[in-house]
Amino acid sequence: MAVSGFEGFEKRLELHFFGDDPAIFPLGLRKLDFESLEQVLEAVQCTVVSAVGNSYFDAYVLSESSLFVYPTKIIIKTCGTTQLLKSILPLIHYAHHLGLTLSSCRYTRGSFIFPKSQPFPHTSFKDEVTYLQDTIPSNLCFRKASIMPSKSSSHSWHVFTANDSAHTLPHMPYDHDNELLFTMEICMTELDPILARKFFRRPEDGRSGDSAGKEMTKLTGINEINPEALICDFAFDPCGYSMNGMDGDWYSTIHVTPEDGFSYASFECVGSVNDSIAHVLRKVVQIFRPGTMSISTTCNGFSNDMWTQMASAVEPLGMKCRSFAMDQFPAAGTVVFQTFTARRKSV
Amino acid sequence: MAMVYGDRSTSFSSQVLTFHSSAKWNAHFDALKQTNKLMVVDFTASWCKPCKVMDPVIQEFADKFRDVEFVKIDVDELLEVSQSFQVQGMPTFMLIKKGKVTDKVVGVKKEELQRLIEQHRK
């Protein structure tokens, strides 16, 4: 592991809003001016690199990860040393102008590779929770903070949730087709160096980040994870890759920091508990061949089946499940945190 | 050469055309088929914020690439046209020459769009 380098592990924030004025809908938060979004991102210290929208949501590729804007929810995921929590107050402010109030907040992250490089309040989970407690409005009175462990002290899953008691979430984790959904966040480190090289730009290729990104999506097989999804991709100079996928109202997102010594890749998506996620998991493992991987799934209710399905999907690819932790969060649902390591052949 | 169609005013200078009826669009499309001119069609929606990001870019390209035609189509207004081009995400830019889609760009990708315009305008 390098002494210092780019921090791939993201901080993720999901905010839900509520509004009872029918005039706000169907657009809701999608009515936020682009200028307002830029101001929010400025507080976080990142910028928009690319964007695309469909009838359900808008997806933005940022200089340090992604932003998704739905009518009643916003998801921001940022890496590096960004100050993600600083987006909360401006978002509450702008949403208020639209007649929307915050009803739920969920903050999650893995363990930083370079924790000492993080700015306050990301200096520790304790500092983050204190900041969140002070920032989030008091109407979100059902709160919980938890560090979910694995067998390694350097790989934990940190979760903070806060909800408004009047608006419990049963209706939220369903999509417009009324399917029960789960969110899956995969974090991978020690990527196969040969596969990671595909995320480096060829020197002086004379191409734009957009077209180089498109090429990387095809070359790596990322477009085969979900062939139905519309992909908005970008390749950073000299290396690094980001993409947002859109499939109806389901999003997916991938971010890659390919440098040896601190290589990292994340894959996140929304899925239906009725569908098999095995194909997706297998493709992701094949694209990155990580040394270590964690899978965190959040759902309002699904069978034990789901987790054994996930473990058995990646087992044939040499990923062995090393730990399993489960915790329940008021109104946000059940979070399961599993870690895996590759059974490598010694050279 | 800036021909303005439609009986409603356009919100852009006459360099970016807009169409409000599929009949007028079809007539224009057929007329352009006979030429060697590259047409860039920007499929947008009034409610789509990413589209707004590209609006000034298209204006800039229309000013810069005088031999290329730029058209803006609202997907709600001309639903059948956007469906016939299978537009899913917005903004979508279709590069059309002699009646055929030679390339397309989906999303806010200024540099990629510029590269393709420069490639196909010859």
Side-chain angles (χ1 to χ4, degrees):
Chain A
M1 210 40 106
V3 171
S4 75
F6 188 78
E7 181 64 64
F9 272 93
E10 296 103 342
K11 305 157 182 114
R12 181 187 185 278
L13 188 66
E14 182 171 324
L15 302 173
H16 290 248
F17 292 83
F18 167 80
D20 48 21
D21 179 0
I24 315 169
F25 297 101
L27 288 176
L29 291 164
R30 298 183 73 186
K31 272 186 152 170
L32 285 170
D33 283 330
F34 185 65
E35 291 73 32
S36 305
L37 285 176
E38 279 185 311
Q39 299 241 325
V40 173
L41 294 176
E42 204 177 318
V44 177
Q45 293 165 328
C46 57
T47 53
V48 171
V49 153
S50 190
V52 73
N54 70 4
S55 36
Y56 302 102
F57 66 104
D58 298 314
Y60 298 85
V61 175
L62 309 175
S63 51
E64 325 244 0
S65 287
S66 295
L67 163 68
F68 299 99
V69 184
Y70 284 79
T72 56
K73 80 176 179 233
I74 283 189
I75 296 167
I76 318 183
K77 191 166 169 157
T78 63
C79 57
T81 51
T82 49
Q83 303 191 298
L84 181 57
L85 299 181
K86 297 220 166 140
S87 65
I88 299 176
L89 285 176
L91 278 170
I92 291 177
H93 169 82
Y94 290 121
H96 177 75
H97 281 308
L98 290 177
L100 291 160
T101 16
L102 187 66
S103 62
S104 163
C105 168
R106 185 169 112 206
Y107 176 68
T108 55
R109 67 166 173 86
S111 300
F112 295 123
I113 301 173
F114 305 109
K116 296 201 168 74
S117 305
Q118 290 293 322
F120 182 84
H122 301 290
T123 29
S124 70
F125 188 52
K126 183 166 181 227
D127 287 338
E128 288 167 317
V129 173
T130 306
Y131 185 95
L132 281 158
Q133 293 275 62
D134 293 341
T135 308
I136 290 174
S138 56
N139 63 309
L140 272 66
C141 54
F142 287 79
R143 304 182 180 194
K144 179 165 172 173
S146 173
I147 302 180
M148 298 173 71
S150 71
K151 293 226 167 79
S152 157
S153 57
S154 56
H155 285 281
S156 302
W157 190 247
H158 307 75
V159 184
F160 172 90
T161 61
N163 291 280
D164 177 341
S165 62
H167 305 289
T168 52
L169 290 177
H171 66 287
M172 280 185 208
Y174 290 86
D175 66 2
H176 72 286
D177 282 333
N178 220 40
E179 292 198 69
L180 178 62
L181 304 177
F182 65 87
T183 306
M184 179 168 76
E185 297 171 65
I186 301 177
C187 305
M188 297 168 276
T189 49
E190 295 165 73
L191 309 181
D192 179 310
I194 296 175
L195 296 175
R197 286 240 47 102
K198 294 185 183 177
F199 296 100
F200 279 79
R201 298 274 301 267
R202 282 172 287 131
E204 272 143 78
D205 58 11
R207 310 189 68 176
S208 66
D210 307 321
S211 56
K214 196 164 148 185
E215 193 184 307
M216 272 181 198
T217 300
K218 283 214 186 82
L219 213 75
T220 55
I222 284 173
N223 56 334
E224 292 161 24
I225 299 174
N226 177 1
E228 309 283 305
L230 190 144
I231 293 176
C232 185
D233 40 31
F234 194 85
F236 296 89
D237 202 354
C239 63
Y241 168 91
S242 285
M243 81 70 140
N244 288 334
M246 291 187 132
D247 180 5
D249 62 351
W250 296 2
Y251 72 91
S252 60
T253 183
I254 293 178
H255 298 282
V256 188
T257 300
E259 294 103 312
D260 205 19
F262 49 93
S263 65
Y264 174 88
S266 66
F267 175 86
E268 178 181 330
C269 72
V270 165
S272 160
V273 299
N274 300 322
D275 295 335
S276 157
I277 199 79
H279 160 80
V280 167
L281 279 175
R282 276 195 290 267
K283 266 255 88 147
V284 170
V285 171
Q286 280 165 346
I287 290 167
F288 298 103
R289 291 272 174 203
T292 314
M293 174 171 85
S294 73
I295 305 181
S296 309
T297 36
T298 306
C299 185
N300 252 357
F302 51 149
S303 64
N304 282 329
D305 229 28
M306 184 110 228
W307 308 305
T308 47
Q309 229 194 83
M310 286 180 174
S312 55
V314 299
E315 168 102 41
L317 295 170
M319 298 303 296
K320 190 147 168 59
C321 187
R322 301 293 180 191
S323 73
F324 174 100
M326 180 162 89
D327 205 346
Q328 299 213 307
F329 294 81
T334 306
V335 176
V336 167
F337 175 58
Q338 296 170 280
T339 60
F340 300 80
T341 56
R343 257 188 249 101
R344 294 239 219 254
K345 291 197 182 95
S346 54
V347 181
Chain B
M1 179 185 83
M3 293 192 288
V4 182
Y5 289 81
D7 39 21
R8 289 181 200 93
S9 60
T10 59
S11 51
F12 288 83
S13 78
S14 56
Q15 284 163 324
V16 179
L17 309 181
T18 58
F19 292 91
H20 306 282
S21 85
S22 37
K24 292 204 164 110
W25 156 256
N26 289 330
H28 183 79
F29 183 84
D30 289 339
L32 220 71
K33 247 195 228 182
Q34 315 301 325
T35 72
N36 211 27
K37 203 171 201 201
L38 172 66
M39 174 169 59
V40 176
V41 183
D42 176 6
F43 287 93
T44 65
S46 56
W47 40 263
C48 176
K49 292 294 180 249
C51 296
K52 307 251 184 277
V53 179
M54 282 303 274
D55 284 347
V57 176
I58 292 303
Q59 192 59 62
E60 180 196 319
F61 285 172
D63 289 337
K64 181 173 175 180
F65 301 108
R66 294 299 183 117
D67 55 335
V68 177
E69 194 174 84
F70 291 85
V71 175
K72 207 179 176 227
I73 287 184
D74 181 308
V75 302
D76 295 314
E77 216 177 10
L78 294 185
L79 186 62
E80 333 78 58
V81 177
S82 62
Q83 279 174 346
S84 71
F85 281 94
Q86 296 175 307
V87 173
Q88 292 175 291
M90 282 162 294
T92 286
F93 302 93
M94 295 283 181
L95 284 84
I96 300 168
K97 212 164 184 184
K98 292 207 191 262
K100 292 213 165 65
V101 176
T102 52
D103 239 312
K104 81 172 181 191
V105 174
V106 180
V108 172
K109 294 176 167 229
K110 177 181 177 178
E111 281 153 4
E112 175 71 350
L113 182 58
Q114 176 157 349
R115 183 184 76 91
L116 291 175
I117 290 172
E118 283 166 352
Q119 181 188 323
H120 291 288
R121 68 198 273 225
K122 304 183 190 90

